[in-house]
Amino acid sequence: MKILVSACLLGEKCKYNGESNKNDDVIRLSENHTLIPVCPEKLAGLTTPREPCEIIDKKVFNKIGEDVTEAFYDGAEKTLYVAEESGCQVAVMKERSPSCGFMKIYDGTFSGRLIDGNGITSDLLYKNGITVIGETQLDKLKAFE
């Protein structure tokens, strides 16, 4: 099975602070699946490192108050294209991210508080029929095997 994966989970240093969110459990998926790495924010042309971003009312702002919504939607569209062209029906995405989070994201105050909601990319993937799971929900992949 081909699985779309947030590139930061595979060790790519594309996180806002220039680091990764390397996850060995996600990397091990490559033993039985083809992993298609993506970073919606890099696809949108955002730099690494960059200011952290959060969502407020479907708009994305960085910590210094700049509206980066357009870039996030651009990255989401490009990620959907990669998923569709690669034949990915499932995506393992970085939890809580303003791009990749699914079900829970930060509340937009940069205080670390979580609220119900989806990142821009994960929401678009989901609305286009791709199953989205977070890196701590890998057991849900069993339903596809």
Side-chain angles (χ1 to χ4, degrees):
M1 175 170 58
K2 291 182 180 178
I3 303 172
L4 193 75
V5 180
S6 294
C8 63
L9 296 173
L10 299 175
E12 186 173 327
K13 293 185 176 186
C14 55
K15 187 176 169 182
Y16 75 91
N17 62 4
E19 295 299 319
S20 78
N21 291 304
K22 186 177 177 186
N23 183 303
D24 291 331
D25 291 332
V26 174
I27 292 169
R28 272 192 289 282
L29 292 173
S30 68
E31 295 170 6
N32 299 306
H33 306 285
T34 301
L35 305 183
I36 310 295
V38 292
C39 176
E41 295 168 31
K42 282 185 68 175
L43 286 174
L46 295 174
T47 61
T48 304
R50 59 191 165 273
E51 291 291 325
C53 298
E54 294 189 7
I55 299 172
I56 303 171
D57 296 326
K58 298 190 192 242
K59 289 192 160 245
V60 186
F61 295 92
N62 66 22
K63 196 168 185 175
I64 59 174
E66 296 169 327
D67 184 340
V68 291
T69 304
E70 188 175 316
F72 274 71
Y73 280 93
D74 180 52
E77 289 287 343
K78 289 175 178 170
T79 300
L80 176 62
Y81 177 81
V82 170
E84 291 176 340
E85 289 297 306
S86 302
C88 297
Q89 295 299 311
V90 177
V92 175
M93 306 300 276
K94 177 66 191 115
E95 295 170 357
R96 301 177 300 279
S97 158
S99 287
C100 301
F102 193 68
M103 306 300 281
K104 294 281 185 188
I105 55 171
Y106 291 110
D107 70 356
T109 64
F110 297 93
S111 65
R113 192 172 142 253
L114 293 172
I115 59 170
D116 292 338
N118 298 329
I120 304 300
T121 297
S122 288
D123 197 57
L124 184 64
L125 294 172
Y126 177 75
K127 286 177 177 172
N128 281 273
I130 296 171
T131 299
V132 179
I133 63 171
E135 74 271 19
T136 63
Q137 304 170 317
L138 297 181
D139 57 317
K140 291 184 178 183
L141 286 174
K142 291 177 182 155
F144 294 90
E145 296 175 354

mmCIF file of all heavy atoms in Angstrom, residues 19-68:
data_model
loop_
_atom_site.group_PDB
_atom_site.id
_atom_site.type_symbol
_atom_site.label_atom_id
_atom_site.label_comp_id
_atom_site.label_asym_id
_atom_site.label_seq_id
_atom_site.Cartn_x
_atom_site.Cartn_y
_atom_site.Cartn_z
ATOM 1 N N GLU A 19 13.904 21.542 12.693
ATOM 2 C CA GLU A 19 14.117 20.183 13.186
ATOM 3 C C GLU A 19 13.140 19.225 12.503
ATOM 4 O O GLU A 19 12.421 19.602 11.596
ATOM 5 C CB GLU A 19 13.939 20.142 14.714
ATOM 6 C CG GLU A 19 14.983 20.950 15.466
ATOM 7 C CD GLU A 19 16.398 20.464 15.241
ATOM 8 O OE1 GLU A 19 16.622 19.228 15.222
ATOM 9 O OE2 GLU A 19 17.284 21.317 15.068
ATOM 10 N N SER A 20 13.123 17.979 12.979
ATOM 11 C CA SER A 20 12.172 17.001 12.462
ATOM 12 C C SER A 20 11.317 16.485 13.614
ATOM 13 O O SER A 20 11.545 16.841 14.771
ATOM 14 C CB SER A 20 12.913 15.825 11.812
ATOM 15 O OG SER A 20 13.423 14.938 12.788
ATOM 16 N N ASN A 21 10.364 15.657 13.289
ATOM 17 C CA ASN A 21 9.551 14.947 14.281
ATOM 18 C C ASN A 21 9.740 13.452 14.046
ATOM 19 O O ASN A 21 8.779 12.693 14.036
ATOM 20 C CB ASN A 21 8.069 15.314 14.127
ATOM 21 C CG ASN A 21 7.780 16.741 14.526
ATOM 22 O OD1 ASN A 21 8.076 17.154 15.635
ATOM 23 N ND2 ASN A 21 7.217 17.506 13.619
ATOM 24 N N LYS A 22 10.982 13.055 13.819
ATOM 25 C CA LYS A 22 11.304 11.675 13.458
ATOM 26 C C LYS A 22 10.580 10.694 14.377
ATOM 27 O O LYS A 22 10.611 10.816 15.595
ATOM 28 C CB LYS A 22 12.808 11.448 13.536
ATOM 29 C CG LYS A 22 13.231 10.091 13.051
ATOM 30 C CD LYS A 22 14.746 9.952 13.092
ATOM 31 C CE LYS A 22 15.137 8.555 12.670
ATOM 32 N NZ LYS A 22 16.597 8.365 12.836
ATOM 33 N N ASN A 23 9.909 9.728 13.733
ATOM 34 C CA ASN A 23 9.117 8.749 14.469
ATOM 35 C C ASN A 23 9.467 7.364 13.925
ATOM 36 O O ASN A 23 9.125 7.028 12.789
ATOM 37 C CB ASN A 23 7.631 9.068 14.288
ATOM 38 C CG ASN A 23 6.733 8.149 15.069
ATOM 39 O OD1 ASN A 23 6.778 6.936 14.910
ATOM 40 N ND2 ASN A 23 5.896 8.731 15.912
ATOM 41 N N ASP A 24 10.155 6.570 14.742
ATOM 42 C CA ASP A 24 10.617 5.258 14.292
ATOM 43 C C ASP A 24 9.475 4.323 13.926
ATOM 44 O O ASP A 24 9.621 3.506 13.012
ATOM 45 C CB ASP A 24 11.521 4.620 15.352
ATOM 46 C CG ASP A 24 12.852 5.359 15.486
ATOM 47 O OD1 ASP A 24 13.309 5.947 14.491
ATOM 48 O OD2 ASP A 24 13.431 5.347 16.595
ATOM 49 N N ASP A 25 8.348 4.428 14.610
ATOM 50 C CA ASP A 25 7.200 3.578 14.269
ATOM 51 C C ASP A 25 6.694 3.903 12.862
ATOM 52 O O ASP A 25 6.332 3.000 12.098
ATOM 53 C CB ASP A 25 6.067 3.746 15.286
ATOM 54 C CG ASP A 25 6.416 3.175 16.647
ATOM 55 O OD1 ASP A 25 7.231 2.223 16.708
ATOM 56 O OD2 ASP A 25 5.888 3.677 17.650
ATOM 57 N N VAL A 26 6.672 5.181 12.519
ATOM 58 C CA VAL A 26 6.242 5.583 11.180
ATOM 59 C C VAL A 26 7.270 5.118 10.144
ATOM 60 O O VAL A 26 6.910 4.577 9.098
ATOM 61 C CB VAL A 26 6.013 7.105 11.096
ATOM 62 C CG1 VAL A 26 5.714 7.535 9.665
ATOM 63 C CG2 VAL A 26 4.885 7.536 12.027
ATOM 64 N N ILE A 27 8.538 5.296 10.445
ATOM 65 C CA ILE A 27 9.599 4.874 9.526
ATOM 66 C C ILE A 27 9.515 3.369 9.260
ATOM 67 O O ILE A 27 9.688 2.921 8.125
ATOM 68 C CB ILE A 27 10.982 5.279 10.071
ATOM 69 C CG1 ILE A 27 11.115 6.807 10.036
ATOM 70 C CG2 ILE A 27 12.104 4.598 9.286
ATOM 71 C CD1 ILE A 27 12.306 7.361 10.779
ATOM 72 N N ARG A 28 9.185 2.586 10.286
ATOM 73 C CA ARG A 28 9.070 1.130 10.124
ATOM 74 C C ARG A 28 7.959 0.720 9.156
ATOM 75 O O ARG A 28 7.973 -0.387 8.627
ATOM 76 C CB ARG A 28 8.867 0.447 11.479
ATOM 77 C CG ARG A 28 10.174 0.089 12.168
ATOM 78 C CD ARG A 28 9.957 -0.843 13.356
ATOM 79 N NE ARG A 28 9.324 -0.191 14.484
ATOM 80 C CZ ARG A 28 9.953 0.610 15.340
ATOM 81 N NH1 ARG A 28 11.227 0.857 15.215
ATOM 82 N NH2 ARG A 28 9.290 1.161 16.340
ATOM 83 N N LEU A 29 7.014 1.600 8.918
ATOM 84 C CA LEU A 29 5.966 1.297 7.945
ATOM 85 C C LEU A 29 6.566 0.997 6.569
ATOM 86 O O LEU A 29 5.964 0.288 5.762
ATOM 87 C CB LEU A 29 4.970 2.453 7.824
ATOM 88 C CG LEU A 29 4.087 2.739 9.033
ATOM 89 C CD1 LEU A 29 3.288 4.015 8.803
ATOM 90 C CD2 LEU A 29 3.165 1.565 9.325
ATOM 91 N N SER A 30 7.761 1.522 6.316
ATOM 92 C CA SER A 30 8.400 1.317 5.007
ATOM 93 C C SER A 30 8.792 -0.142 4.773
ATOM 94 O O SER A 30 9.081 -0.533 3.642
ATOM 95 C CB SER A 30 9.626 2.218 4.855
ATOM 96 O OG SER A 30 10.647 1.821 5.745
ATOM 97 N N GLU A 31 8.783 -0.960 5.823
ATOM 98 C CA GLU A 31 9.099 -2.376 5.670
ATOM 99 C C GLU A 31 8.021 -3.104 4.870
ATOM 100 O O GLU A 31 8.306 -4.097 4.202
ATOM 101 C CB GLU A 31 9.271 -3.029 7.046
ATOM 102 C CG GLU A 31 10.466 -2.495 7.814
ATOM 103 C CD GLU A 31 10.499 -2.955 9.270
ATOM 104 O OE1 GLU A 31 9.652 -3.788 9.676
ATOM 105 O OE2 GLU A 31 11.369 -2.462 10.014
ATOM 106 N N ASN A 32 6.776 -2.623 4.947
ATOM 107 C CA ASN A 32 5.663 -3.295 4.275
ATOM 108 C C ASN A 32 4.866 -2.402 3.328
ATOM 109 O O ASN A 32 3.926 -2.876 2.684
ATOM 110 C CB ASN A 32 4.702 -3.881 5.322
ATOM 111 C CG ASN A 32 5.379 -4.909 6.199
ATOM 112 O OD1 ASN A 32 5.956 -5.863 5.696
ATOM 113 N ND2 ASN A 32 5.336 -4.696 7.496
ATOM 114 N N HIS A 33 5.211 -1.116 3.285
ATOM 115 C CA HIS A 33 4.441 -0.158 2.492
ATOM 116 C C HIS A 33 5.386 0.795 1.766
ATOM 117 O O HIS A 33 6.528 0.976 2.176
ATOM 118 C CB HIS A 33 3.500 0.655 3.387
ATOM 119 C CG HIS A 33 2.600 -0.179 4.235
ATOM 120 N ND1 HIS A 33 1.495 -0.835 3.734
ATOM 121 C CD2 HIS A 33 2.635 -0.485 5.557
ATOM 122 C CE1 HIS A 33 0.893 -1.499 4.706
ATOM 123 N NE2 HIS A 33 1.566 -1.307 5.827
ATOM 124 N N THR A 34 4.867 1.425 0.736
ATOM 125 C CA THR A 34 5.609 2.478 0.050
ATOM 126 C C THR A 34 5.184 3.804 0.669
ATOM 127 O O THR A 34 3.993 4.138 0.659
ATOM 128 C CB THR A 34 5.283 2.481 -1.458
ATOM 129 O OG1 THR A 34 5.640 1.202 -1.993
ATOM 130 C CG2 THR A 34 6.041 3.577 -2.175
ATOM 131 N N LEU A 35 6.155 4.524 1.222
ATOM 132 C CA LEU A 35 5.852 5.791 1.874
ATOM 133 C C LEU A 35 6.153 6.943 0.916
ATOM 134 O O LEU A 35 7.216 6.992 0.294
ATOM 135 C CB LEU A 35 6.660 5.937 3.156
ATOM 136 C CG LEU A 35 6.523 4.797 4.169
ATOM 137 C CD1 LEU A 35 7.315 5.107 5.440
ATOM 138 C CD2 LEU A 35 5.069 4.505 4.499
ATOM 139 N N ILE A 36 5.207 7.852 0.808
ATOM 140 C CA ILE A 36 5.331 9.030 -0.051
ATOM 141 C C ILE A 36 5.447 10.248 0.870
ATOM 142 O O ILE A 36 4.445 10.716 1.424
ATOM 143 C CB ILE A 36 4.110 9.183 -0.991
ATOM 144 C CG1 ILE A 36 3.795 7.888 -1.732
ATOM 145 C CG2 ILE A 36 4.310 10.366 -1.931
ATOM 146 C CD1 ILE A 36 4.842 7.410 -2.694
ATOM 147 N N PRO A 37 6.673 10.774 1.086
ATOM 148 C CA PRO A 37 6.843 11.899 2.006
ATOM 149 C C PRO A 37 6.390 13.226 1.401
ATOM 150 O O PRO A 37 6.625 13.487 0.219
ATOM 151 C CB PRO A 37 8.353 11.920 2.280
ATOM 152 C CG PRO A 37 8.970 11.261 1.100
ATOM 153 C CD PRO A 37 7.947 10.306 0.550
ATOM 154 N N VAL A 38 5.739 14.032 2.212
ATOM 155 C CA VAL A 38 5.326 15.377 1.801
ATOM 156 C C VAL A 38 5.452 16.340 2.976
ATOM 157 O O VAL A 38 5.252 15.964 4.125
ATOM 158 C CB VAL A 38 3.861 15.436 1.291
ATOM 159 C CG1 VAL A 38 3.696 14.697 -0.011
ATOM 160 C CG2 VAL A 38 2.890 14.948 2.326
ATOM 161 N N CYS A 39 5.785 17.565 2.660
ATOM 162 C CA CYS A 39 5.689 18.660 3.629
ATOM 163 C C CYS A 39 4.911 19.760 2.928
ATOM 164 O O CYS A 39 5.450 20.456 2.059
ATOM 165 C CB CYS A 39 7.053 19.168 4.067
ATOM 166 S SG CYS A 39 6.896 20.597 5.191
ATOM 167 N N PRO A 40 3.632 19.906 3.267
ATOM 168 C CA PRO A 40 2.809 20.923 2.605
ATOM 169 C C PRO A 40 3.392 22.330 2.695
ATOM 170 O O PRO A 40 3.284 23.115 1.751
ATOM 171 C CB PRO A 40 1.478 20.843 3.341
ATOM 172 C CG PRO A 40 1.449 19.482 3.947
ATOM 173 C CD PRO A 40 2.879 19.145 4.253
ATOM 174 N N GLU A 41 4.030 22.627 3.804
ATOM 175 C CA GLU A 41 4.560 23.976 3.996
ATOM 176 C C GLU A 41 5.762 24.223 3.086
ATOM 177 O O GLU A 41 5.924 25.307 2.526
ATOM 178 C CB GLU A 41 4.856 24.204 5.473
ATOM 179 C CG GLU A 41 3.556 24.180 6.282
ATOM 180 C CD GLU A 41 3.735 24.109 7.788
ATOM 181 O OE1 GLU A 41 4.743 24.632 8.306
ATOM 182 O OE2 GLU A 41 2.850 23.524 8.450
ATOM 183 N N LYS A 42 6.594 23.194 2.893
ATOM 184 C CA LYS A 42 7.704 23.333 1.951
ATOM 185 C C LYS A 42 7.185 23.376 0.513
ATOM 186 O O LYS A 42 7.692 24.138 -0.303
ATOM 187 C CB LYS A 42 8.704 22.186 2.118
ATOM 188 C CG LYS A 42 9.619 22.388 3.317
ATOM 189 C CD LYS A 42 10.677 21.326 3.413
ATOM 190 C CE LYS A 42 11.669 21.426 2.286
ATOM 191 N NZ LYS A 42 12.789 20.490 2.400
ATOM 192 N N LEU A 43 6.167 22.563 0.214
ATOM 193 C CA LEU A 43 5.587 22.597 -1.131
ATOM 194 C C LEU A 43 5.031 23.977 -1.460
ATOM 195 O O LEU A 43 5.005 24.386 -2.612
ATOM 196 C CB LEU A 43 4.479 21.547 -1.265
ATOM 197 C CG LEU A 43 4.928 20.096 -1.373
ATOM 198 C CD1 LEU A 43 3.724 19.157 -1.343
ATOM 199 C CD2 LEU A 43 5.745 19.876 -2.637
ATOM 200 N N ALA A 44 4.598 24.683 -0.430
ATOM 201 C CA ALA A 44 4.057 26.038 -0.616
ATOM 202 C C ALA A 44 5.155 27.092 -0.729
ATOM 203 O O ALA A 44 4.867 28.262 -0.955
ATOM 204 C CB ALA A 44 3.123 26.382 0.541
ATOM 205 N N GLY A 45 6.404 26.683 -0.544
ATOM 206 C CA GLY A 45 7.506 27.625 -0.657
ATOM 207 C C GLY A 45 7.882 28.326 0.627
ATOM 208 O O GLY A 45 8.688 29.264 0.614
ATOM 209 N N LEU A 46 7.314 27.889 1.755
ATOM 210 C CA LEU A 46 7.693 28.497 3.035
ATOM 211 C C LEU A 46 9.107 28.044 3.403
ATOM 212 O O LEU A 46 9.521 26.938 3.068
ATOM 213 C CB LEU A 46 6.698 28.113 4.125
ATOM 214 C CG LEU A 46 5.276 28.652 3.928
ATOM 215 C CD1 LEU A 46 4.337 28.091 4.992
ATOM 216 C CD2 LEU A 46 5.262 30.173 3.959
ATOM 217 N N THR A 47 9.813 28.900 4.088
ATOM 218 C CA THR A 47 11.204 28.608 4.436
ATOM 219 C C THR A 47 11.288 27.708 5.669
ATOM 220 O O THR A 47 10.340 27.598 6.451
ATOM 221 C CB THR A 47 11.974 29.903 4.743
ATOM 222 O OG1 THR A 47 11.349 30.556 5.858
ATOM 223 C CG2 THR A 47 11.985 30.833 3.547
ATOM 224 N N THR A 48 12.433 27.081 5.824
ATOM 225 C CA THR A 48 12.750 26.323 7.033
ATOM 226 C C THR A 48 14.095 26.840 7.515
ATOM 227 O O THR A 48 15.055 26.805 6.747
ATOM 228 C CB THR A 48 12.852 24.816 6.733
ATOM 229 O OG1 THR A 48 11.634 24.378 6.136
ATOM 230 C CG2 THR A 48 13.109 24.022 8.000
ATOM 231 N N PRO A 49 14.173 27.364 8.745
ATOM 232 C CA PRO A 49 13.063 27.518 9.692
ATOM 233 C C PRO A 49 12.122 28.661 9.286
ATOM 234 O O PRO A 49 12.423 29.439 8.397
ATOM 235 C CB PRO A 49 13.766 27.820 11.012
ATOM 236 C CG PRO A 49 15.069 28.441 10.622
ATOM 237 C CD PRO A 49 15.446 27.823 9.295
ATOM 238 N N ARG A 50 10.995 28.710 10.009
ATOM 239 C CA ARG A 50 9.988 29.741 9.784
ATOM 240 C C ARG A 50 9.274 29.990 11.120
ATOM 241 O O ARG A 50 9.383 29.200 12.045
ATOM 242 C CB ARG A 50 8.994 29.317 8.708
ATOM 243 C CG ARG A 50 8.259 28.034 9.033
ATOM 244 C CD ARG A 50 7.468 27.495 7.840
ATOM 245 N NE ARG A 50 7.076 26.113 8.075
ATOM 246 C CZ ARG A 50 7.807 25.050 7.791
ATOM 247 N NH1 ARG A 50 8.995 25.187 7.266
ATOM 248 N NH2 ARG A 50 7.367 23.833 8.052
ATOM 249 N N GLU A 51 8.550 31.064 11.177
ATOM 250 C CA GLU A 51 7.770 31.351 12.384
ATOM 251 C C GLU A 51 6.717 30.260 12.576
ATOM 252 O O GLU A 51 6.116 29.803 11.604
ATOM 253 C CB GLU A 51 7.066 32.706 12.276
ATOM 254 C CG GLU A 51 7.986 33.904 12.315
ATOM 255 C CD GLU A 51 8.630 34.106 13.669
ATOM 256 O OE1 GLU A 51 7.997 33.828 14.698
ATOM 257 O OE2 GLU A 51 9.794 34.541 13.678
ATOM 258 N N PRO A 52 6.464 29.841 13.832
ATOM 259 C CA PRO A 52 5.373 28.895 14.060
ATOM 260 C C PRO A 52 4.039 29.522 13.664
ATOM 261 O O PRO A 52 3.873 30.740 13.741
ATOM 262 C CB PRO A 52 5.442 28.606 15.562
ATOM 263 C CG PRO A 52 6.221 29.726 16.154
ATOM 264 C CD PRO A 52 7.114 30.256 15.073
ATOM 265 N N CYS A 53 3.127 28.662 13.213
ATOM 266 C CA CYS A 53 1.823 29.129 12.736
ATOM 267 C C CYS A 53 0.701 28.386 13.443
ATOM 268 O O CYS A 53 0.869 27.235 13.850
ATOM 269 C CB CYS A 53 1.702 28.888 11.231
ATOM 270 S SG CYS A 53 2.915 29.773 10.246
ATOM 271 N N GLU A 54 -0.432 29.044 13.558
ATOM 272 C CA GLU A 54 -1.640 28.426 14.102
ATOM 273 C C GLU A 54 -2.852 28.957 13.346
ATOM 274 O O GLU A 54 -2.775 29.985 12.676
ATOM 275 C CB GLU A 54 -1.767 28.688 15.611
ATOM 276 C CG GLU A 54 -0.663 27.994 16.404
ATOM 277 C CD GLU A 54 -0.853 28.029 17.910
ATOM 278 O OE1 GLU A 54 -1.908 28.477 18.400
ATOM 279 O OE2 GLU A 54 0.085 27.606 18.615
ATOM 280 N N ILE A 55 -3.957 28.234 13.471
ATOM 281 C CA ILE A 55 -5.181 28.560 12.748
ATOM 282 C C ILE A 55 -6.171 29.282 13.663
ATOM 283 O O ILE A 55 -6.394 28.866 14.795
ATOM 284 C CB ILE A 55 -5.846 27.274 12.204
ATOM 285 C CG1 ILE A 55 -4.893 26.566 11.235
ATOM 286 C CG2 ILE A 55 -7.180 27.581 11.530
ATOM 287 C CD1 ILE A 55 -5.370 25.189 10.798
ATOM 288 N N ILE A 56 -6.752 30.350 13.121
ATOM 289 C CA ILE A 56 -7.839 31.071 13.788
ATOM 290 C C ILE A 56 -8.928 31.276 12.740
ATOM 291 O O ILE A 56 -8.689 31.946 11.725
ATOM 292 C CB ILE A 56 -7.390 32.443 14.331
ATOM 293 C CG1 ILE A 56 -6.215 32.302 15.291
ATOM 294 C CG2 ILE A 56 -8.555 33.161 15.012
ATOM 295 C CD1 ILE A 56 -5.596 33.625 15.697
ATOM 296 N N ASP A 57 -10.096 30.688 12.958
ATOM 297 C CA ASP A 57 -11.230 30.855 12.037
ATOM 298 C C ASP A 57 -10.851 30.571 10.577
ATOM 299 O O ASP A 57 -11.105 31.400 9.694
ATOM 300 C CB ASP A 57 -11.826 32.260 12.158
ATOM 301 C CG ASP A 57 -12.417 32.519 13.527
ATOM 302 O OD1 ASP A 57 -12.958 31.569 14.125
ATOM 303 O OD2 ASP A 57 -12.336 33.668 13.989
ATOM 304 N N LYS A 58 -10.216 29.420 10.343
ATOM 305 C CA LYS A 58 -9.841 28.947 8.997
ATOM 306 C C LYS A 58 -8.785 29.805 8.322
ATOM 307 O O LYS A 58 -8.513 29.665 7.141
ATOM 308 C CB LYS A 58 -11.058 28.785 8.100
ATOM 309 C CG LYS A 58 -12.035 27.757 8.634
ATOM 310 C CD LYS A 58 -13.100 27.445 7.634
ATOM 311 C CE LYS A 58 -14.186 26.660 8.322
ATOM 312 N NZ LYS A 58 -14.456 25.372 7.900
ATOM 313 N N LYS A 59 -8.202 30.724 9.058
ATOM 314 C CA LYS A 59 -7.077 31.514 8.542
ATOM 315 C C LYS A 59 -5.841 31.120 9.337
ATOM 316 O O LYS A 59 -5.930 30.776 10.510
ATOM 317 C CB LYS A 59 -7.337 33.014 8.680
ATOM 318 C CG LYS A 59 -8.404 33.516 7.728
ATOM 319 C CD LYS A 59 -8.413 35.028 7.713
ATOM 320 C CE LYS A 59 -9.092 35.503 6.466
ATOM 321 N NZ LYS A 59 -8.202 36.225 5.583
ATOM 322 N N VAL A 60 -4.686 31.198 8.683
ATOM 323 C CA VAL A 60 -3.437 30.795 9.315
ATOM 324 C C VAL A 60 -2.560 32.023 9.514
ATOM 325 O O VAL A 60 -2.318 32.786 8.569
ATOM 326 C CB VAL A 60 -2.685 29.744 8.467
ATOM 327 C CG1 VAL A 60 -1.464 29.233 9.216
ATOM 328 C CG2 VAL A 60 -3.608 28.591 8.081
ATOM 329 N N PHE A 61 -2.114 32.199 10.749
ATOM 330 C CA PHE A 61 -1.244 33.316 11.094
ATOM 331 C C PHE A 61 0.021 32.780 11.743
ATOM 332 O O PHE A 61 -0.023 31.790 12.487
ATOM 333 C CB PHE A 61 -1.941 34.270 12.086
ATOM 334 C CG PHE A 61 -3.142 34.945 11.492
ATOM 335 C CD1 PHE A 61 -4.405 34.380 11.627
ATOM 336 C CD2 PHE A 61 -3.004 36.135 10.790
ATOM 337 C CE1 PHE A 61 -5.518 34.997 11.081
ATOM 338 C CE2 PHE A 61 -4.121 36.749 10.241
ATOM 339 C CZ PHE A 61 -5.382 36.181 10.388
ATOM 340 N N ASN A 62 1.139 33.455 11.473
ATOM 341 C CA ASN A 62 2.342 33.067 12.201
ATOM 342 C C ASN A 62 2.407 33.853 13.506
ATOM 343 O O ASN A 62 1.571 34.724 13.765
ATOM 344 C CB ASN A 62 3.602 33.205 11.335
ATOM 345 C CG ASN A 62 3.921 34.635 10.954
ATOM 346 O OD1 ASN A 62 3.513 35.593 11.597
ATOM 347 N ND2 ASN A 62 4.684 34.777 9.872
ATOM 348 N N LYS A 63 3.400 33.513 14.301
ATOM 349 C CA LYS A 63 3.468 34.064 15.654
ATOM 350 C C LYS A 63 3.673 35.578 15.675
ATOM 351 O O LYS A 63 3.357 36.232 16.663
ATOM 352 C CB LYS A 63 4.577 33.364 16.445
ATOM 353 C CG LYS A 63 4.477 33.567 17.921
ATOM 354 C CD LYS A 63 5.386 32.643 18.683
ATOM 355 C CE LYS A 63 5.160 32.809 20.169
ATOM 356 N NZ LYS A 63 5.937 31.859 20.940
ATOM 357 N N ILE A 64 4.175 36.144 14.580
ATOM 358 C CA ILE A 64 4.360 37.602 14.539
ATOM 359 C C ILE A 64 3.190 38.308 13.847
ATOM 360 O O ILE A 64 3.258 39.486 13.544
ATOM 361 C CB ILE A 64 5.719 38.002 13.922
ATOM 362 C CG1 ILE A 64 5.864 37.472 12.502
ATOM 363 C CG2 ILE A 64 6.865 37.527 14.802
ATOM 364 C CD1 ILE A 64 7.119 37.956 11.780
ATOM 365 N N GLY A 65 2.105 37.554 13.600
ATOM 366 C CA GLY A 65 0.867 38.149 13.126
ATOM 367 C C GLY A 65 0.673 38.207 11.622
ATOM 368 O O GLY A 65 -0.327 38.755 11.152
ATOM 369 N N GLU A 66 1.592 37.656 10.839
ATOM 370 C CA GLU A 66 1.433 37.668 9.387
ATOM 371 C C GLU A 66 0.419 36.603 8.954
ATOM 372 O O GLU A 66 0.441 35.485 9.455
ATOM 373 C CB GLU A 66 2.777 37.392 8.702
ATOM 374 C CG GLU A 66 3.814 38.459 8.963
ATOM 375 C CD GLU A 66 5.203 38.045 8.511
ATOM 376 O OE1 GLU A 66 5.557 36.854 8.569
ATOM 377 O OE2 GLU A 66 5.945 38.954 8.095
ATOM 378 N N ASP A 67 -0.430 36.970 8.022
ATOM 379 C CA ASP A 67 -1.423 36.055 7.463
ATOM 380 C C ASP A 67 -0.740 35.212 6.383
ATOM 381 O O ASP A 67 -0.330 35.725 5.346
ATOM 382 C CB ASP A 67 -2.585 36.848 6.868
ATOM 383 C CG ASP A 67 -3.717 35.972 6.343
ATOM 384 O OD1 ASP A 67 -3.497 34.772 6.071
ATOM 385 O OD2 ASP A 67 -4.832 36.504 6.194
ATOM 386 N N VAL A 68 -0.611 33.910 6.637
ATOM 387 C CA VAL A 68 0.041 32.991 5.693
ATOM 388 C C VAL A 68 -0.969 31.971 5.156
ATOM 389 O O VAL A 68 -0.593 30.907 4.673
ATOM 390 C CB VAL A 68 1.260 32.295 6.342
ATOM 391 C CG1 VAL A 68 2.384 33.295 6.578
ATOM 392 C CG2 VAL A 68 0.873 31.615 7.645
#
